[in-house]
Amino acid sequence: MITVKQQQYKVFGNCLSIKKDLTEIKVTLDTGPRIIYCSFNHHDNILWEDLHHNFTYTDANIQKVYGKDAKWYALGGHRLWSSPETSLTYDLDNLPVVYKRRGNVFTFLGNKQKRAGLQFELQIDFSNSTKIKIQHRIINVGKKTVTLAPWAITSFCKNSLAIFRQDHIDNGFLPNRHFSLWGYTKTQDHRLFMGNDYVSLQMDPSPSSQSFKIGFMSQHAEAVCVVNQTKLKIKFPKQTQAKYPDYGCNFETYTNNLFLELEALGGIVALAPKKQTTLWEEWYLSEHKTKIVPRDEKSLAKAFHA
C-alpha cells in the first residue's frame, strides 16, 4: 500500500511524501525537482540536505539572464543534470514542479531552463515490491540541438561510504579498464581505498577535507552506499555502443566535507529540439547493521552483496 501526503519539510517548502512498506521518500514541489529524503525502516534520511545553502553557483551568464542576485542551489538529495559540466549545467531550476500520479508511478517535471533550453523530469515507479525505478528524462524545449548526456546524481549525508567493484574482463594484451581523475583529485587521499576487487570512498566531514572525484566505465553497472544502518544499491544501464562523457565514464563518485555522491551517466546524444533522452536507475534499499572496514576487501564484498 502506498501512502501519499503533501507536507512542508524543513527549508525545502512543499514536498510530496511517498511511503510504501518500509520505504519513504520526499520530493520537492516548490523547486527542483529533488528527491530530498530517503529512509528505510524508520531510520534517518540517508540523503544530504543543504539546509543553509552552502553549495550554490552563479556567474555572469546566469546573472545576465536571471538577475544579479540569481543563484543555482544544490539543495541536496537526488537530482538530474546534464553532462559535460559547464556553466549551462547550472541553469536555474528554482521554480515550482508539475507533479502527476498514475497508479504507482509519480512524475515530477521541472521548469524550462532559459539558457540551456532544457527541461528535466523524474518519473518514480513504485510498482515493484523490491525496488524503486527512477526514469530520468531530459527534453529539449529550445530551438537548437544540444549535445549532452543525462547525469543522475545522488548526494548522501555524513557517515556515508561508497563501494563499487573493479572490472576484470580478460582483454589479452589490451587494457581492460581506465579511471578518469579531476584536477583537484589527490590519488593518495586517505578517503579512497583501491583494492583488487573492490573500491571504497568515505565521506569525511572534517573542514580540511577537499574535493575528490573519480570516474570509470563500470561493466557491472552498480554501486552501493551505506549510511549508518541503511544500504542503497543503485543499478544503472551500460550502453555498449554509446559514447560516454569524461573520457568514457558511466559512473563517477565525488565527495567533499559536506556530502558524498554516486553519479550515473548515460551516453552522449545530439538532442534536437522537441526530442528527449533518458537514463534509468533502480534503487534497492535494505538494512545494514554489520560494521564495515573500509580498507578490507572481504568486509567490502560482504557489504556489497549482503
Side-chain angles (χ1 to χ4, degrees):
M1 179 180 177
I2 293 182
T3 303
V4 180
K5 180 173 65 174
Q6 289 195 32
Q7 59 183 215
Q8 296 291 308
Y9 181 65
K10 297 186 178 180
V11 301
F12 304 105
N14 195 28
C15 294
L16 190 74
S17 169
I18 308 170
K19 296 182 182 179
K20 183 179 181 184
D21 301 327
L22 298 176
T23 299
E24 179 183 8
I25 68 168
K26 292 182 174 72
V27 185
T28 59
L29 296 177
D30 288 344
T31 186
R34 303 284 192 280
I35 302 175
I36 201 65
Y37 180 99
C38 179
S39 71
F40 184 77
N41 198 19
H42 309 291
H43 292 302
D44 292 338
N45 184 17
I46 63 174
L47 302 181
W48 173 58
E49 299 173 349
D50 191 5
L51 300 176
H52 305 291
H53 295 319
N54 289 316
F55 203 85
T56 65
Y57 179 83
T58 191
D59 60 26
N61 294 320
I62 291 175
Q63 294 171 2
K64 182 178 179 179
V65 174
Y66 293 100
K68 66 177 182 178
D69 297 323
K71 292 181 181 179
W72 174 86
Y73 295 93
L75 300 180
H78 176 86
R79 70 179 184 272
L80 172 60
W81 247 11
S82 64
S83 180
E85 187 171 355
T86 68
S87 172
L88 288 177
T89 307
Y90 293 86
D91 213 342
L92 272 57
D93 55 0
N94 300 340
L95 297 178
V97 172
V98 177
Y99 145 66
K100 294 181 181 179
R101 177 184 181 181
R102 187 172 183 176
N104 294 331
V105 180
F106 300 81
T107 302
F108 303 87
L109 182 65
N111 59 258
K112 295 179 180 180
Q113 299 175 1
K114 293 180 181 179
R115 295 191 307 138
L118 303 175
Q119 194 167 21
F120 294 166
E121 179 185 271
L122 298 182
Q123 186 180 83
I124 306 172
D125 189 346
F126 282 86
S127 299
N128 192 292
S129 60
T130 62
K131 66 185 179 184
I132 302 171
K133 185 165 186 177
I134 304 174
Q135 184 74 280
H136 308 81
R137 181 173 285 107
I138 298 179
I139 309 161
N140 186 346
V141 293
K143 298 180 180 180
K144 298 180 180 180
T145 296
V146 182
T147 300
L148 56 79
W151 184 10
I153 301 174
T154 308
S155 304
F156 297 89
C157 60
K158 63 180 182 180
N159 299 325
S160 52
L161 173 70
I163 309 170
F164 50 96
R165 300 164 70 185
Q166 295 265 29
D167 293 324
H168 292 295
I169 297 174
D170 185 357
N171 284 342
F173 292 111
L174 301 177
N176 69 353
R177 77 198 95 162
H178 75 275
F179 291 95
S180 293
L181 302 176
W182 275 250
Y184 47 77
T185 297
K186 307 299 182 185
T187 55
Q188 297 297 311
D189 197 299
H190 71 280
R191 294 167 293 182
L192 176 71
F193 169 73
M194 187 82 70
N196 291 325
D197 297 310
Y198 292 88
V199 180
S200 70
L201 181 65
Q202 300 178 71
M203 187 274 176
D204 181 354
S206 303
S208 60
S209 292
Q210 302 297 312
S211 293
F212 177 95
K213 187 168 185 177
I214 188 171
F216 69 108
M217 170 57 66
S218 173
Q219 304 296 330
H220 297 289
E222 59 181 0
V224 160
C225 190
V226 179
V227 184
N228 299 321
Q229 297 185 55
T230 301
K231 169 184 164 182
L232 175 61
K233 176 176 282 189
I234 298 179
K235 296 185 178 183
F236 45 90
K238 179 177 68 69
Q239 300 165 294
T240 55
Q241 302 301 317
K243 181 180 179 182
Y244 282 89
D246 301 335
Y247 298 108
C249 295
N250 71 342
F251 173 76
E252 298 168 357
T253 182
Y254 169 89
T255 191
N256 56 22
N257 66 338
L258 296 173
F259 54 83
L260 180 146
E261 293 179 341
L262 299 184
E263 308 175 5
L265 297 105
I268 298 172
V269 297
L271 197 63
K274 300 183 180 180
K275 298 297 182 179
Q276 57 184 261
T277 187
T278 60
L279 170 67
W280 59 261
E281 287 186 341
E282 292 176 346
W283 287 17
Y284 298 82
L285 283 153
S286 60
E287 200 159 34
H288 190 88
K289 294 184 177 181
T290 305
K291 182 179 178 181
I292 304 173
V293 182
R295 307 186 76 82
D296 180 84
E297 288 211 71
K298 289 184 178 179
S299 180
L300 295 175
K302 185 177 180 180
F304 193 96
H305 294 286

